[in-house]
Amino acid sequence: MESIILGIVQGSATLLDPAILALIIGGTIFGILIGALPGLTSTMGVALLVPVTFAMSATQGLALLGAIYCSSTYAGAISAILINIPGTPANCCTILDGYPMTKNGEASRAIALATVASAIGGMASTVALLFLAPPLAELALRFGSQEYFLLALFGVSVIASLSNGNMLKGFIAGILGLFLSSIGMHPITGDLRFTMGIPELYNGLPLVVALIGLYSVPEVIATLRDPGACAVGGVAEVRGVFGQMLEVFKYKVVMLRASVIGTVVGIVPGAGSSIASFIAYDDAKKNSKRPGDFGLGSAEGLIASETANNAVVGGSLVPTLTLGIPGNSVSAVLLGGLLVHGLKPGPALFADDSGTVYGFIMSLFVANLVFVPVGLLVARFGVKFIKMPATILGPLVLGLAVIGSYAINASLAEVWIMVAIGFLGFLLKEFGMPREPLVLGLVLGSMAEGELSRSLALVRNGVPELLASFVSRPLSLVILALTLLSVFKGALSQRKRK
Amino acid sequence: MTNTSIRRELAFSGSMLALSIALSIKAFTYPAESAQFPRFLTVLQVLFSAGLLVRSIVGRRGEPPRDEPGRRPSLIAPLAVFSSLGLYIVCIQYLGYFVSTALFLAISMIYLGRHRPLVVFGATAAFILVVYSLFVLFIGVRLPRGMLF
């Protein structure tokens, strides 16, 4: 407990740096624009700005990326409420009551409630991150190579088994991600594998470049295929929102329940913001005195959805920071950002880089406060920008993807790699393959291979003895059981859906 | 399922299986110590892809296909995106980053139906300004120079 309080003080002190505050504000503005623009996702926003953080200190870079994550998750509500198009998948549930409120002439009220509820959900989950992450990190100190290898497989299997309606495709995508991460030099022997003679692949597939390709190119194609999706008619005026913000405190219980749901769902790898908001929405409806209002413009429904999706932010970072297992695709990209700055997520992170980690967590807290006024201003004045047509947006996003992937190592070969991965992402999307398991596989692959090699080096009789050690070590056994349970549950729920 | 979607599913699962087998064969050409992980993954991938193919075939038999034409997504957008990106990257090597970017953005917007010069010029100029300030001035990235500058 003492170390947590010390960390909070240390982290708060780093926020006194005016550059960090400026980056949080800049990141919030960028994140709100990314989130509010239909077709651009939080993952894409964070991935595109990772190269920009190279010139910054780790705390500054992470504060920028964290601010984008928090604000873009919230900002999808602006377009969901005003133009009936969720800005990001996290805000799908928000349109159920947000847009009906706009049609009822309550656009300003809906924006005010969604903004404050999002901020409260985000801050509640940041508090949870502060107090849950260190104990989990202490537990993780007992992990050996076997546990880490199984943990990587667990992360991929959970996210694959949660793939919408198609677990088999989820597993194929996850394994493909793990396979792609094995391209390049073997971590111990140094042998080259699957590099096709391309020197840029000797050190493995560049993670950030791959993520940029995977999340920008397919989205641009999807937006260009359906440009009419953004071409909506008139937009309601947003005025007097500041005066309506306090109303949200009438719904304290709804926000509390949604915060808990969002945080817990966020901790589970792969569950994601949209699932959290639908669960919280359903929970609010079941416990409401006026369930009949849901879907017709219920403030409770809107608040539950928006609180929960922002509460996922802090939750998803708990396993990311303590175990190196990202809770969702945005935190997977953030994990890439941590690695780029030389930070190794895992139990030692809180001891070795406590100033940076606590600074990052406290910056999330500040970002949740900053997006309230910025979001309200964007909703008031930036509506025309939100309606930016795909015909302008598409080329700009592709331009950003090219410069982003070039800037990392000043290499045009990496831009070609980005395009190739973008093509892969397009094919996956085209054939209904989820991209999230692939991303998780890409991120966790090198850890899985390294730990597998180390585990094999520790046993004398090769694979049979390794398999036996999975069962004989209590922590390994627990992780193995959880992996099998997640696969079994995924298969069961898929069968039920059929 | 429509005939189109069944055919797509079969083609996809068949291609995945072929790719997995090819990668698996390649993985077994590397020294055993360096290829344990890829071998394990490619063998798993073969099994899962075969499962997907079997499921597609069984699903095809179990459910009578409907003749109604499934809406086939247009290939124009992906073709336009990948060919323009390819040309853009090639142009960067010869014309330099800024000239190529200006051409790429302006031509793409005009091709996609933005004909007002002010909009096209404004968006292109704003983008180049942002890239210059952020990547050249702030980060110090050396962007490729071409024949012009």
Side-chain angles (χ1 to χ4, degrees):
Chain A
M1 191 65 186
E2 263 178 45
S3 62
I4 297 174
I5 292 167
L6 194 70
I8 293 171
V9 174
Q10 225 179 343
S12 307
T14 60
L15 295 179
L16 296 174
D17 177 1
I20 290 188
L21 285 176
L23 285 168
I24 292 174
I25 295 170
T28 302
I29 296 169
F30 180 78
I32 285 178
L33 296 178
I34 287 279
L37 283 164
L40 304 189
T41 60
S42 310
T43 316
M44 188 203 289
V46 177
L48 287 175
L49 276 230
V50 169
V52 176
T53 66
F54 289 167
M56 303 172 191
S57 70
T59 317
Q60 289 174 339
L62 291 173
L64 176 73
L65 299 178
I68 297 169
Y69 186 9
C70 294
S71 55
S72 57
T73 307
Y74 144 70
I78 298 174
S79 50
I81 290 167
L82 296 180
I83 59 175
N84 201 25
I85 302 170
T88 67
N91 311 94
C92 286
C93 187
T94 306
I95 58 172
L96 296 180
D97 282 294
Y99 192 63
M101 284 177 86
T102 298
K103 285 205 287 190
N104 297 340
E106 295 179 315
S108 308
R109 182 175 168 235
I111 289 286
L113 294 178
T115 306
V116 183
S118 296
I120 289 172
M123 285 191 280
S125 74
T126 308
V127 173
L129 172 64
L130 272 173
F131 289 95
L132 286 178
L136 194 62
E138 268 180 41
L139 174 75
L141 278 172
R142 295 184 205 161
F143 286 10
S145 298
Q146 286 96 328
E147 282 80 15
Y148 274 112
F149 171 67
L150 288 174
L151 208 56
L153 294 189
F154 170 67
V156 177
S157 69
V158 169
I159 209 160
S161 58
L162 285 171
S163 301
N164 277 347
N166 204 331
M167 204 167 90
L168 206 51
K169 283 186 176 176
F171 274 105
I172 291 175
I175 295 167
L176 191 60
L178 287 169
F179 171 78
L180 288 175
S181 76
S182 73
I183 291 174
M185 244 186 273
H186 185 267
I188 292 174
T189 64
D191 287 328
L192 292 173
R193 291 120 2 124
F194 306 102
T195 56
M196 294 168 283
I198 303 170
E200 280 75 11
L201 291 177
Y202 288 178
N203 285 326
L205 199 65
L207 181 63
V208 178
V209 170
L211 293 173
I212 291 175
L214 210 53
Y215 277 95
S216 59
V217 180
E219 299 306 326
V220 170
I221 293 170
T223 317
L224 291 179
R225 271 180 168 171
D226 191 14
C230 303
V232 288
V235 180
E237 283 214 350
V238 180
R239 284 175 188 278
V241 278
F242 287 96
Q244 301 181 61
M245 282 163 46
L246 294 178
E247 191 198 340
V248 85
F249 294 102
K250 285 184 190 167
Y251 304 98
K252 288 187 216 73
V253 180
V254 176
M255 285 193 292
L256 182 70
R257 295 175 75 100
S259 296
V260 173
I261 290 170
T263 307
V264 172
V265 171
I267 291 173
V268 179
S273 305
S274 45
I275 295 174
S277 56
F278 277 107
I279 295 174
Y281 183 86
D282 185 52
D283 175 72
K285 190 176 177 180
K286 279 180 187 154
N287 291 292
S288 172
K289 286 176 187 161
R290 301 169 67 179
D293 288 356
F294 279 67
L296 301 171
S298 161
E300 279 178 274
L302 175 76
I303 289 168
S305 157
E306 274 308 302
T307 309
N309 64 28
N310 267 74
V312 166
V313 174
S316 70
L317 290 171
V318 173
T320 309
L321 296 178
T322 54
L323 305 171
I325 308 285
N328 57 22
S329 55
V330 198
S331 50
V333 183
L334 261 170
L335 189 68
L338 285 166
L339 296 171
V340 157
H341 283 281
L343 300 171
K344 193 170 180 286
L349 186 69
F350 282 81
D352 298 346
D353 295 287
S354 64
T356 308
V357 177
Y358 281 104
F360 170 52
I361 297 174
M362 294 312 290
S363 77
L364 294 176
F365 206 83
V366 177
N368 279 298
L369 286 173
V370 170
F371 77 58
V372 174
V374 178
L376 294 178
L377 286 172
V378 169
R380 172 80 179 84
F381 299 107
V383 174
K384 278 191 178 172
F385 188 75
I386 293 170
K387 289 172 70 186
M388 185 191 280
T391 48
I392 295 179
L393 199 61
L396 293 183
V397 171
L398 291 179
L400 268 180
V402 167
I403 182 67
S405 42
Y406 175 83
I408 296 169
N409 287 315
S411 159
L412 272 179
E414 292 197 353
V415 183
W416 283 113
I417 293 172
M418 182 276 291
V419 176
I421 296 289
F423 183 68
L424 176 70
F426 161 72
L427 287 180
L428 293 181
K429 203 171 166 150
E430 194 71 1
F431 290 100
M433 294 265 284
R435 279 171 295 173
E436 284 70 24
L438 187 134
V439 171
L440 210 67
L442 256 176
V443 171
L444 296 176
S446 56
M447 173 176 115
E449 181 165 25
E451 300 299 346
L452 177 68
S453 302
R454 271 184 279 278
S455 305
L456 280 169
L458 289 173
V459 292
R460 262 178 287 173
N461 297 327
V463 178
E465 196 180 334
L466 178 71
L467 292 175
S469 75
F470 288 157
V471 192
S472 61
R473 293 168 66 99
L475 276 170
S476 297
L477 190 63
V478 170
I479 301 168
L480 195 63
L482 286 172
T483 309
L484 295 174
L485 189 72
S486 76
V487 175
F488 179 69
K489 274 195 83 177
L492 204 68
S493 65
Q494 196 171 313
R495 192 170 279 266
K496 270 184 191 171
R497 269 198 294 267
K498 280 180 183 172
Chain B
M1 275 178 124
T2 62
N3 277 325
T4 315
S5 57
I6 289 171
R7 271 199 300 269
R8 274 165 62 88
E9 199 69 17
L10 276 173
F12 174 71
S13 44
S15 313
M16 274 309 294
L17 183 60
L19 179 74
S20 311
I21 291 170
L23 289 174
S24 193
I25 292 168
K26 183 78 183 157
F28 278 88
T29 63
Y30 296 121
E33 205 185 324
S34 310
Q36 269 152 343
F37 191 57
R39 283 180 190 179
F40 165 65
L41 294 173
T42 49
V43 169
L44 264 185
Q45 194 75 307
V46 168
L47 294 175
F48 279 118
S49 305
L52 193 65
L53 184 66
V54 169
R55 205 183 62 180
S56 308
I57 294 167
V58 171
R60 191 185 178 189
R61 283 183 189 155
E63 196 181 334
R66 283 176 277 142
D67 279 336
E68 64 188 67
R71 204 179 136 223
R72 188 178 290 184
S74 159
L75 286 177
I76 295 172
L79 272 174
V81 165
F82 288 110
S83 53
S84 65
L85 269 176
L87 275 173
Y88 174 30
I89 303 167
V90 171
C91 275
I92 290 176
Q93 296 172 46
Y94 296 101
L95 301 177
Y97 176 77
F98 288 107
V99 176
S100 310
T101 303
L103 285 172
F104 168 73
L105 291 179
I107 293 171
S108 305
M109 284 181 214
I110 292 166
Y111 169 75
L112 292 169
R114 289 280 126 191
H115 297 301
R116 284 173 62 191
L118 194 68
V119 174
V120 173
F121 180 76
T124 306
F127 181 86
I128 286 178
L129 196 70
V130 168
V131 166
Y132 185 75
S133 358
L134 210 60
F135 288 90
V136 179
L137 296 181
F138 181 62
I139 309 182
V141 176
R142 291 182 67 183
L143 293 171
R145 283 164 179 256
M147 291 181 288
L148 302 171
F149 55 89

